[in-house]
Amino acid sequence: MTTLPRNPFPVNWPARFGWLALAAYVVWAAAQLDFTWSRFVSGLDNAQRFLSRMFPPNFSGDKWEMIVKGLTESLEIAIIASAIGIIIALPIGLMSARNLSPVWISWPARLVIALCRSFHPVIVAIIFVKAVGFGAIAGIGALVIASIGFISKLFAEAIEEISLKQVEAVRASGASFFNVLTYGVLPQVFGRFLGFCTYQLDSNLRNSTMVGIVGAGGVGGTLFAAFQRFDYDFVLAILISIISLIFAGEILSNILRAVFLDNKTISGWFGKGTSTTTVAKRGEEE
Amino acid sequence: MSTPDATTAGMNAINREWRRFTFEQRFIRFAFYFIAVAALVMSLRHIEFIPEFLYDAPAQVQDFFARMWPMDTAYYGKSVHDALIETLNIATLGTLLSILLAVPVGMLAANNLVPFAPLNYFAKLILVSSRSVNSLVWALLFIAVFGPGALAGTLAIAFRSIGFVGKLFGEALEECQRGPIEALTAVGAPKASVFTKGYWPQVKPAFWSIALFRWDINVRESAVLGLVGAGGIGMAMDTAQNLFRWDQVAVVLLTIFVVVILAELIVTYIRKKVL
């Protein structure tokens, strides 16, 4: 018997140096940001006081009314912003798909998408607050911009992946450009488009609870005010309400996806469905 | 519920109309469309809307851009540059910390690695809560605990990212092939070796791509944390904005734009090169 061949798990020196460099960076960056152990320990002390002031959450009378008012406004902002965003994102996404549009259309469209995507909704909200004043309109504007960036980008990518055979077939039958779109292109991407839209509605709901921090309407303003007044039991109440709303939104978008993408029906949910595995799995989740 | 047109279609099979969906499927789809439109109409009617504010919006926007120009470029050297470095450090350290925290949670959430359902659901609950609370709200919470500054910002970024990294990492683990893992278990490898030699090589590409993607997102997110006092370039923007120095705000906005684009380019480059 010969001696064993080379080590099956050789030491990867470049990777080791990489980890070393990473560790050095962490130490340097932590020093730059002024992280110290004593600060951390004193923070833990604070955390205890903070948590004890948070419990129990304050859902009493007028506070609950404020939460409901704020959350309703957030929800409205999210719905309106998603609707407007989807309507604008459809043509922009189509325009920026490089397999359908000529370069002189797709380039400007891509630029618009890049611009919409590069700023955080809160920064866009600040600009809108300056332009249209405090209130829900500014929040809607900011989230419309965010929706356009997200949906058009993914929609364009989905269109670029379609099979051109069906498009050719529809075109060969003498269809106009819009007929090609509605019968050749859209059926292929409808499912994914719906997925992006429900995701964006979810994400707008999350962000709409936050744009209020800069005065753009919704429950965020109430939350920020509660923080500034050290009203921590009210803060916890607002947070619990926000998380429950987002949970509900997530369940709703799961149902939506089941109906539109897996062709689920009401009777399908109660055991008569054909693909029982997914039904059972979904039932467990809820 | 039976489909009413199925019986009639049986009687005159020649004139049978083919439909993609059954009556019930169509009904439930239209119910959803109806709910969506109704929700939109209700929102539009109920929302507080002050038209007077909109009338002068064009003038306001014009004024806004006029005040932004010319940019106060000296402001960059004075306070934006240091804040920018701080932002990048917050984003990077936050991402590293989140990976450290999210990997165990993701492992707990993976059903094939930890075949114990209650533990899986517990891990998933952690992941969902982390994602539901916005990074600005996490920042406010950590400011209440650690005081304003970069520490709160880093922790906010880390805690916000746990959900994202943990969810995707857990899903990648669940998609692992059984073969190598069974082979390792069959030769009697200890649990740790099964993970490092069986699971890890399979999830490694996904892991790095998740980490890079999250870093890219975190660069954007950490730019706004300063607005609530959690350090970084947002602080510089907040200061300038409170003084109505829009020419300085413009500098900050331009800096954020350039950095975000650069971060995206770097991530795409590394992805092409390494993965």
Side-chain angles (χ1 to χ4, degrees):
Chain A
M1 193 175 161
T2 53
T3 52
L4 278 172
R6 62 184 178 81
N7 184 356
F9 301 118
V11 178
N12 186 348
W13 285 106
R16 286 206 174 175
F17 276 116
W19 288 115
L20 207 67
L22 194 68
Y25 166 77
V26 169
V27 172
W28 174 77
Q32 283 273 306
L33 297 184
D34 208 18
F35 294 170
T36 55
W37 186 247
S38 62
R39 231 181 124 189
F40 187 71
V41 172
S42 72
L44 288 184
D45 231 31
N46 271 338
Q48 207 176 9
R49 233 173 313 141
F50 178 62
L51 284 176
S52 67
R53 283 180 64 176
M54 266 186 144
F55 284 97
N58 184 355
F59 280 108
S60 62
D62 55 329
K63 301 274 183 192
W64 176 242
E65 255 167 51
M66 281 166 82
I67 293 178
V68 171
K69 191 168 169 287
L71 275 183
T72 322
E73 197 175 35
S74 286
L75 195 63
E76 287 164 358
I77 291 175
I79 291 172
I80 297 175
S82 304
I84 300 177
I86 290 168
I87 290 170
I88 301 178
L90 254 168
I92 293 185
L94 271 173
M95 276 158 66
S96 64
R98 276 172 294 196
N99 55 349
L100 290 183
S101 306
V103 183
W104 55 272
I105 294 183
S106 70
W107 243 96
R110 288 185 163 257
L111 198 69
V112 170
I113 295 176
L115 262 177
C116 289
R117 269 167 47 82
S118 55
F119 289 112
H120 196 277
V122 171
I123 293 181
V124 184
I126 291 174
I127 297 172
F128 269 97
V129 166
K130 162 77 177 134
V132 297
F134 291 100
I137 301 291
I140 293 174
L143 294 183
V144 164
I145 298 284
S147 312
I148 292 174
F150 181 83
I151 299 178
S152 339
K153 178 167 193 275
L154 293 180
F155 188 46
E157 276 168 14
I159 292 177
E160 282 174 1
E161 284 166 17
I162 61 168
S163 138
L164 282 173
K165 287 177 185 170
Q166 297 164 47
V167 177
E168 251 171 55
V170 178
R171 202 174 275 156
S173 70
S176 68
F177 179 70
F178 284 99
N179 284 340
V180 171
L181 282 187
T182 46
Y183 291 100
V185 178
L186 290 183
Q188 293 193 54
V189 291
F190 180 72
R192 294 186 64 188
F193 181 66
L194 204 75
F196 307 147
C197 292
T198 49
Y199 179 84
Q200 188 58 35
L201 183 63
D202 242 28
S203 130
N204 278 348
L205 193 58
R206 281 160 215 251
N207 286 335
S208 67
T209 58
M210 174 195 66
V211 287
I213 291 175
V214 293
V219 78
T222 322
L223 181 67
F224 195 44
F227 260 110
Q228 285 181 325
R229 279 186 274 111
F230 307 108
D231 206 352
Y232 291 136
D233 49 352
F234 186 35
V235 165
L236 185 62
I238 298 176
L239 285 182
I240 292 174
S241 319
I242 290 178
I243 293 177
S244 338
L245 184 68
I246 289 169
F247 258 59
E250 224 156 76
I251 291 172
L252 188 72
S253 60
N254 271 345
I255 298 175
L256 194 76
R257 248 169 281 184
V259 165
F260 279 90
L261 304 184
D262 308 340
N263 285 327
K264 287 280 146 37
T265 53
I266 298 167
S267 50
W269 259 298
F270 293 103
K272 280 202 285 179
T274 40
S275 55
T276 44
T277 49
T278 49
V279 176
K281 211 175 145 198
R282 216 170 284 284
E284 269 170 27
E285 274 171 17
E286 286 161 20
Chain B
M1 215 189 273
S2 70
T3 52
D5 50 358
T7 46
T8 46
M11 278 189 277
N12 44 358
I14 293 169
N15 295 330
R16 184 165 175 178
E17 191 183 345
W18 288 97
R19 287 183 185 276
R20 189 166 163 204
F21 302 114
T22 63
F23 173 75
E24 200 186 342
Q25 281 171 337
R26 262 180 293 144
F27 176 78
I28 198 165
R29 271 158 202 254
F30 275 105
F32 261 110
Y33 289 135
F34 180 75
I35 292 171
V37 173
L40 180 62
V41 171
M42 266 162 61
S43 305
L44 281 172
R45 292 183 64 158
H46 185 256
I47 200 143
E48 251 173 73
F49 178 71
I50 306 164
E52 286 78 20
F53 277 7
L54 273 188
Y55 294 148
D56 72 333
Q60 286 282 351
V61 173
Q62 214 166 23
D63 173 54
F64 177 64
F65 282 113
R67 284 192 199 196
M68 275 188 165
W69 199 260
M71 281 190 252
D72 181 11
T73 39
Y75 190 56
Y76 181 83
K78 225 169 17 185
S79 49
V80 178
H81 184 75
D82 292 339
L84 174 68
I85 301 294
E86 194 175 65
T87 293
L88 291 176
N89 282 335
I90 290 174
T92 315
L93 279 186
T95 312
L96 289 174
L97 185 60
S98 84
I99 291 171
L100 219 61
L101 296 169
V103 165
V105 185
M107 282 160 71
L108 281 183
N111 182 257
N112 53 350
L113 197 64
V114 181
F116 183 56
L119 220 50
N120 295 152
Y121 282 112
F122 176 65
K124 277 183 185 154
L125 184 72
I126 295 178
L127 297 180
V128 175
S129 329
S130 148
R131 272 181 299 143
S132 304
V133 178
N134 206 285
S135 54
L136 278 186
V137 179
W138 275 119
L140 286 171
L141 287 173
F142 282 116
I143 285 170
V145 173
F146 292 108
L151 182 59
T154 310
L155 289 173
I157 288 287
F159 274 73
R160 174 71 169 85
S161 310
I162 289 176
F164 181 90
V165 178
K167 178 173 185 264
L168 294 181
F169 187 62
E171 281 171 5
L173 280 174
E174 280 185 340
E175 281 165 18
C176 275
Q177 297 204 335
R178 288 289 307 151
I181 293 142
E182 267 173 19
L184 280 165
T185 348
V187 295
K191 278 255 154 72
S193 301
V194 172
F195 184 76
T196 54
K197 306 294 182 206
Y199 286 99
W200 175 244
Q202 294 193 54
V203 294
K204 205 162 114 184
F207 174 80
W208 288 114
S209 119
I210 295 164
L212 279 173
F213 188 32
R214 190 64 220 186
W215 179 75
D216 184 22
I217 298 174
N218 282 346
V219 170
R220 283 159 215 251
E221 298 243 309
S222 60
V224 297
L225 289 177
L227 294 174
V228 293
I233 202 167
M235 297 268 246
M237 180 163 167
D238 201 37
T239 318
Q241 198 200 331
N242 286 339
L243 299 170
F244 296 107
R245 289 295 302 270
W246 293 101
D247 50 344
Q248 295 181 345
V249 172
V251 175
V252 177
L253 288 180
L254 186 69
T255 313
I256 294 177
F257 183 71
V258 171
V259 167
V260 164
I261 299 278
L262 278 181
E264 200 165 335
L265 286 179
I266 292 172
V267 166
T268 343
Y269 176 77
I270 297 180
R271 266 199 185 167
K272 263 193 199 147
K273 204 82 179 167
V274 180
L275 304 177

